């Protein structure tokens, strides 16, 4: 990560290997010499210096989240003048997103927890920001209630206009509780009403012209859904689909509204995997499949021209990939891929005319850097390295393995092994991902790379219920929290031992969120498998989580979700099993976590203390669920290293 000191990672353009078109940087050695001393914890714990840089339409400016002294800020700067950087300090607010409106203005979506009538609410807002960073306008300042950051449309004609859906009341019996849509001038905050609120409709969707075409309604009392649609702004909305219950399906809904009248593109899993299809809006029926990946779901679409043109799709098999429909970007991608060799390159942003592109080059074994590429010039210029402690060289190798669960289910897992050591009889860290509807793949993982640098093999199973492998695989996790999903983890350890990779007597489980739950569950259930456990922000009491999530909007649906996760929630809740914990456990939790409240870990600690069980508890006063602060990352890794050295030394 490049720190604030003079923005060293942003100094000028360096034409590297100029005689060779598209040469990105000096080749990273496939086998770097082993370090004399362990890489400092602080290097792995650094926040990435830059995240999600976005070019202005003319390609002359960049807006990105950057890290300054361990805190995240929004920065705006010119490509040819990186010494003058406009930095937006959001204070206690999170920076949740940002987009260019035109060459002179952008918007940023922020959020923060604030007291509202004696309770804590997460309030969402949208800011209009001038490109020089000197003028900031809160859109809907005098009207917005809880949520005011749902940006439906950004003008493509250069005018400073956006359309945002926002609530104007916090009371569910008031019309303003359901979002209306307003057109905002981001330069001054002035707005006009575009779409009035409709009862139960919380989500609106607009086409590339800014016309609100689609609304999705949900009634929590009856668990019923409805889809509203119209072709033009002059028409009234009509209900085109209804559904009710756990597996409610409203049918095909547009992912992209195409310029052709009545045409769109939509996702569908008709063959078991999420794929892209053409959609007839008159009938809501799909045509022949446009693009799909056998065995995997499509993650997202990439659009151009204000959302009216399909540019590409992203999907993940062993790692994230892009299929470009735009011929220019496809050609550039092919040339860059040939230049970077074993590294991976992802085009992350481009000017409207494709004359300037930002490319991230890295890999699962290296954090990498951002580069600027101008196709006419044909040379990559380094723009910003992401970690000044780690640089751009390769570290622990990463691969994907497959193993069979006890019922024969094929499961993929990501394996990271220490650099320079034979992958044989290694101490093992079993590291389940959070979610659980999520997945791991071959990308840089600062937990796994840190552990590998300390001599551990790290195995990250995509257990049943994980995302990306089709609907049937996801459904296999239904009702299996702490049961078959937990068996999948122990089966991964069995595979590692039988393959000779791991020493079966030196295994520890480490996880966060749902992974933290799995670590809690293992501590009470799987003493024969693990020597120790580490839980970060883990769920311990599922009935309590049901009550917590059930208190939010549409809490009935949230309660249904938790009730479906196991036949008996109390039976698979680690907090009620503290007496059976049979291994040392390290527990960490951020006090400001709004996803899994800190009360979950506090309750677990109280039960362990009462049962006389060994544990260490660390509560981070300013910590959240996502390690947004560098200090919290470093503290976590320090505690993790000390705990493992004592209980499962490498």
């Amino acid at each position: 990560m490049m720190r604030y000191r003079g923005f060293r990672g942003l100094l000028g353009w360096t034409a590297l290997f100029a005689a060779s078109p598209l040469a990105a940087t000096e080749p990273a050695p496939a086998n770097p010499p082993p370090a004399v001393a362990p890489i400092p914890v602080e290097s792995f714990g650094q926040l990435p210096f830059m995240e999600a840089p976005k070019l202005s339409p003319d390609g002359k400016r960049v807006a990105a989240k950057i890290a300054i002294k361990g805190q995240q800020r929004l920065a705006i700067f010119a490509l040819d003048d990186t010494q003058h950087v406009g930095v937006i300090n959001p204070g206690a607010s999170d920076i949740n997103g940002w987009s260019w409106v035109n060459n002179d203005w952008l918007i940023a979506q922020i959020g923060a927890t604030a007291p509202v009538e004696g309770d804590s609410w997460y309030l969402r807002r949208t800011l209009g920001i001038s490109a020089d960073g000197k003028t900031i306008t809160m859109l809907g300042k005098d009207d917005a209630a809880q949520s005011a950051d749902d940006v439906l449309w950004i003008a493509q004609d250069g005018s400073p206009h956006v359309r945002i859906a926002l609530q104007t009341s916090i009371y569910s019996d008031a019309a303003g509780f359901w979002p209306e849509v307003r057109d905002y001038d981001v330069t001054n905050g002035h707005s006009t009403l575009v779409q009035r609120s409709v009862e139960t409709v919380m989500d609106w969707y607009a086409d590339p012209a800014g016309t609100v075409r689609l609304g999705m309604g949900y009634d929590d009392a009856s668990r019923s859904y409805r889809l509203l649609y119209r072709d033009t702004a002059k028409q009234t909305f009509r209900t085109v689909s209804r559904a009710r219950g756990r597996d409610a399906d409203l049918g095909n809904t547009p992912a992209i509204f195409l310029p052709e009248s009545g045409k769109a593109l939509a996702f569908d899993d008709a063959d078991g995997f999420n794929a892209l299809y053409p959609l007839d809006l008159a009938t809501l029926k799909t045509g022949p499949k446009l693009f799909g990946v056998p065995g995997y779901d499509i993650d997202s679409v990439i659009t151009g021209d204000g959302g009216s043109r399909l540019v590409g799709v992203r999907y993940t098999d062993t790692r994230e990939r892009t299929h470009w429909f735009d011929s220019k970007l496809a050609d550039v991608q092919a040339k860059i891929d040939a230049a970077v060799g074993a590294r991976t390159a992802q085009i992350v942003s481009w000017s409207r005319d494709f004359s300037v592109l930002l490319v991230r080059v890295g890999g699962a074994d290296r954090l990498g850097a951002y580069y600027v590429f101008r196709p006419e010039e044909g040379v990559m210029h380094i723009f910003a390295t992401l970690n000044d402690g780690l640089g751009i060289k390769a570290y622990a190798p990463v691969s994907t393995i497959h193993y069979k669960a006890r019922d024969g289910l094929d499961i993929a897992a990501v394996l990271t092994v220490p650099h320079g050591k034979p992958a044989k009889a290694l101490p093992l860290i079993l590291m389940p991902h959070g979610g659980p509807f999520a997945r791991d793949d071959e990308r840089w993982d600062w937990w796994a790379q840190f552990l590998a640098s300390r001599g551990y093999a790290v195995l990250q199973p995509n257990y049943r219920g994980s995302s990306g492998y089709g609907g049937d695989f996801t459904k296999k996790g239904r009702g299996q929290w702490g049961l078959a999903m937990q068996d999948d983890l122990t089966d991964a350890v069995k595979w590692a031992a039988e393959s000779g990779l791991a020493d079966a007597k030196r295994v520890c489980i480490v996880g966060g969120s749902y992974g933290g739950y799995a670590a809690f569950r293992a501590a009470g259930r799987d003493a024969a498998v693990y020597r120790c456990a580490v839980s970060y922000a883990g769920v311990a009491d599922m009935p309590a989580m049901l009550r917590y999530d059930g208190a939010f909007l549409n809490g009935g649906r949230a309660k249904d979700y938790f009730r479906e996760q196991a036949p008996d929630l109390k039976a698979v809740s680690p907090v009620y099993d503290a007496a059976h914990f049979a291994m040392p456990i390290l527990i960490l939790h951020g006090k400001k976590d709004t996803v899994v409240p800190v009360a979950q870990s506090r309750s677990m600690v109280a039960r362990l203390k009462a049962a006389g069980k060994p544990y260490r508890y660390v509560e981070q006063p300013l910590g959240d669920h996502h390690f947004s602060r560098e200090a919290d990352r470093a503290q976590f890794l320090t505690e993790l290293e000390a705990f493992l050295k004592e209980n499962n030394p490498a």
Side-chain angles (χ1 to χ4, degrees):
M1 175 187 72
M2 295 306 298
R3 292 181 179 274
Y4 183 66
R5 300 187 297 271
F7 293 93
R8 287 186 285 127
L10 297 174
L11 293 177
W13 304 125
T14 305
L16 303 171
F17 291 88
S20 174
L22 286 172
T25 183
E26 65 272 16
N31 294 296
V36 175
I39 299 168
V41 164
E42 290 75 16
S43 292
F44 287 102
Q46 285 183 12
L47 289 169
F49 168 64
M50 180 177 291
E51 294 182 50
K54 296 181 180 181
L55 283 165
S56 58
D58 60 8
K60 294 182 179 180
R61 289 189 175 93
V62 173
K65 186 187 291 186
I66 65 172
I68 300 177
K69 297 181 180 179
Q71 302 288 325
Q72 294 178 325
R73 302 287 186 259
L74 182 64
I76 311 165
F77 41 87
L79 285 183
D80 59 358
D81 183 16
T82 55
Q83 295 303 297
H84 297 87
V85 181
V87 178
I88 310 302
N89 183 352
S93 298
D94 303 320
I95 306 168
N96 296 324
W98 55 97
S99 301
W100 287 94
V101 178
N102 55 28
N103 295 322
D104 301 313
W105 288 85
L106 66 157
I107 54 172
Q109 294 132 306
I110 62 172
T113 300
V116 176
E117 297 193 354
D119 201 357
S120 292
W121 290 42
Y122 192 74
L123 306 181
R124 298 177 179 272
R125 296 291 184 264
T126 304
L127 305 178
I129 305 172
S130 60
D132 59 10
K134 295 180 179 180
T135 303
I136 300 177
T137 304
M138 182 173 289
L139 307 182
K141 179 180 179 180
D142 298 325
D143 303 313
Q146 182 176 8
S147 297
D149 68 339
D150 186 6
V151 180
L152 308 184
W153 172 81
I154 297 175
Q156 296 298 300
D157 60 0
S159 64
H161 284 265
V162 298
R163 291 186 175 177
I164 299 174
L166 72 157
Q167 294 175 286
T168 58
S169 175
I170 63 172
Y171 301 106
S172 59
D173 58 351
F177 181 78
W178 309 105
E180 63 187 27
V181 180
R182 302 192 71 85
D183 183 295
Y184 284 94
D185 183 330
V186 301
T187 68
N188 54 33
H190 296 166
S191 70
T192 56
L193 182 66
V194 172
Q195 172 61 49
R196 297 185 182 278
S197 61
V198 174
E199 188 173 0
T200 79
V201 175
M202 190 59 72
D203 299 301
W204 292 108
Y205 301 88
D207 66 16
T211 302
V212 180
R213 299 273 297 278
L214 195 72
M216 192 171 295
Y218 171 71
D219 179 67
D220 199 49
S222 62
R223 309 293 198 273
S224 60
Y225 300 79
R226 61 180 176 139
L227 190 66
L228 307 181
Y229 176 76
R230 66 181 180 183
D231 288 312
T232 69
K234 294 181 179 180
Q235 295 178 337
T236 57
F237 281 97
R238 67 184 190 277
T239 300
V240 295
S241 181
R242 295 181 184 272
R244 179 178 292 186
R246 180 179 66 178
D247 294 316
D249 184 2
L250 287 169
N252 301 304
T253 57
I256 302 175
F257 289 101
L258 297 176
E260 297 84 0
S261 178
K263 302 298 181 182
L265 299 177
F267 290 119
D268 199 317
D269 60 354
D271 64 355
F273 298 93
N274 206 35
L276 193 64
Y277 293 81
L279 177 66
D280 187 314
L281 292 171
T283 63
L284 293 183
K285 292 183 178 180
T286 56
K289 184 190 300 184
L290 180 62
F291 184 81
V293 182
Y296 300 95
D297 294 322
I298 291 179
D299 298 328
S300 61
V301 295
I302 308 169
T303 62
D305 299 338
S308 65
R309 184 169 67 92
L310 178 65
V311 173
V313 296
R314 297 205 194 277
Y315 66 94
T316 305
D317 45 27
T318 57
R319 64 174 177 85
E320 187 178 58
R321 303 179 193 271
T322 305
H323 175 85
W324 295 110
F325 289 93
D326 183 274
S327 59
K328 291 182 180 179
L329 291 175
D331 180 62
V332 169
Q333 183 76 62
K335 291 177 179 176
I336 293 175
D337 287 344
V340 302
R343 292 163 291 172
T344 60
Q346 185 180 72
I347 302 170
V348 297
S349 185
W350 51 86
S351 61
R352 182 167 290 170
D353 63 1
F354 300 112
S355 64
V356 186
L357 297 91
L358 290 178
V359 183
R360 179 171 176 171
V361 178
D365 61 352
R366 69 197 84 198
L367 195 50
Y370 286 108
Y371 293 80
V372 173
F373 177 63
R374 295 177 174 87
E376 287 190 4
E377 181 186 19
V379 178
M380 299 270 276
H381 301 276
I382 194 164
F383 179 54
T385 54
L386 299 180
N387 186 307
D388 58 1
L390 298 177
I392 59 175
K393 69 180 182 180
Y395 291 90
V398 181
S399 61
T400 297
I401 63 96
H402 288 258
Y403 68 93
K404 295 291 185 183
R406 62 194 63 186
D407 62 356
L409 182 66
D410 182 77
I411 296 178
V414 179
L415 174 64
T416 305
V417 295
H419 171 76
K421 284 189 177 183
K424 184 177 181 181
L426 293 170
L428 177 68
I429 303 299
L430 195 285
M431 198 162 78
H433 61 71
F437 186 67
R439 63 169 292 193
D440 285 315
D441 59 74
E442 295 175 22
R443 69 179 66 194
W444 177 266
D445 186 310
W446 58 282
W447 289 27
Q449 287 290 331
F450 169 75
L451 290 166
S453 77
R454 269 44 181 177
Y456 299 95
V458 182
L459 190 59
Q460 299 169 269
N462 286 316
Y463 47 83
R464 69 191 68 209
S466 299
S467 62
Y469 298 98
D472 288 344
F473 189 86
T474 298
K475 289 177 182 176
K476 288 183 184 297
R478 184 175 290 174
Q480 297 301 319
W481 273 49
L483 301 171
M485 291 164 70
Q486 198 76 20
D487 292 338
D488 291 345
L489 305 181
T490 59
D491 292 344
V493 175
K494 180 182 178 183
W495 170 87
E498 291 181 348
S499 69
L501 168 73
D503 180 348
K505 296 180 180 180
R506 293 194 293 161
V507 184
C508 185
I509 183 170
V510 176
S513 198
Y514 175 85
Y517 162 81
F520 280 145
R521 179 72 167 148
R525 194 190 88 145
D526 300 317
V529 180
Y530 306 102
R531 290 181 62 169
C532 57
V534 179
S535 171
Y536 176 80
V539 174
D541 186 343
M542 290 180 70
M545 278 301 300
L546 182 151
R547 294 190 295 272
Y548 176 76
D549 281 357
F552 291 93
L553 178 65
N554 297 329
R557 184 167 53 187
K559 290 179 179 179
D560 291 346
Y561 168 79
F562 271 102
R563 292 189 183 105
E564 294 165 358
Q565 301 317 308
D568 184 341
L569 294 181
K570 189 172 182 179
V572 297
S573 292
V575 74
Y576 301 108
D577 198 32
H580 294 108
F581 274 40
M583 64 189 72
I585 186 167
L586 171 64
I587 304 170
L588 301 97
H589 213 124
K591 187 177 180 180
K592 294 190 174 183
D593 192 335
T594 59
V595 179
V596 178
V598 69
Q600 288 282 315
S601 286
R602 289 177 178 175
S603 296
M604 189 75 252
V605 167
R607 294 290 184 117
L608 290 172
K609 183 177 181 179
K613 299 297 180 178
Y615 69 89
R616 173 165 172 74
Y617 178 54
V618 178
E619 189 169 298
Q620 298 179 320
L622 301 178
D624 58 15
H625 195 72
H626 308 290
F627 278 120
S628 300
R629 299 176 68 252
E630 190 170 297
D632 295 328
R633 290 185 175 209
Q635 183 186 30
F636 167 73
L637 294 181
T638 300
E639 291 284 348
L640 177 62
E641 182 175 28
F643 179 80
L644 292 176
K645 187 175 292 186
E646 179 180 355
N647 296 287
N648 190 30

